[in-house]
Amino acid sequence: RRSVWLDERVDAEVTHFYRDTLATMDRSFLRPRLPGYPDYQRAAAHTLHNGVTGGVRPRALAAELTALWHKHVRV
């Protein structure tokens, strides 16, 4: 929770860890919290690995990943 990162009392208890790392956290990538995203990520990782090691052409691999997105993720 962001409120913990901004709480000066809590931050002082951890020798300003939160203050000193907040900018990094703000710029970091977090997985989307979309319904179905974890299923997409698992399927996409498998497809990507098989595609790269199996010599699938980039355009075909991108099409497979797009199809998986539409199958799993509900926006």
Side-chain angles (χ1 to χ4, degrees), residues 21-36:
T21 58
L22 184 58
T24 300
M25 294 300 290
D26 283 342
R27 289 188 303 265
S28 66
F29 174 80
L30 299 176
R31 271 189 280 172
R33 295 183 178 185
L34 302 170

Side-chain angles (χ1 to χ4, degrees), residues 29-44 69 72-74:
F29 174 80
L30 299 176
R31 271 189 280 172
R33 295 183 178 185
L34 302 170
Y37 185 82
D39 294 329
Y40 165 75
Q41 186 173 355
R42 277 189 293 279
W69 177 267
H72 291 287
V73 179
R74 295 170 298 286

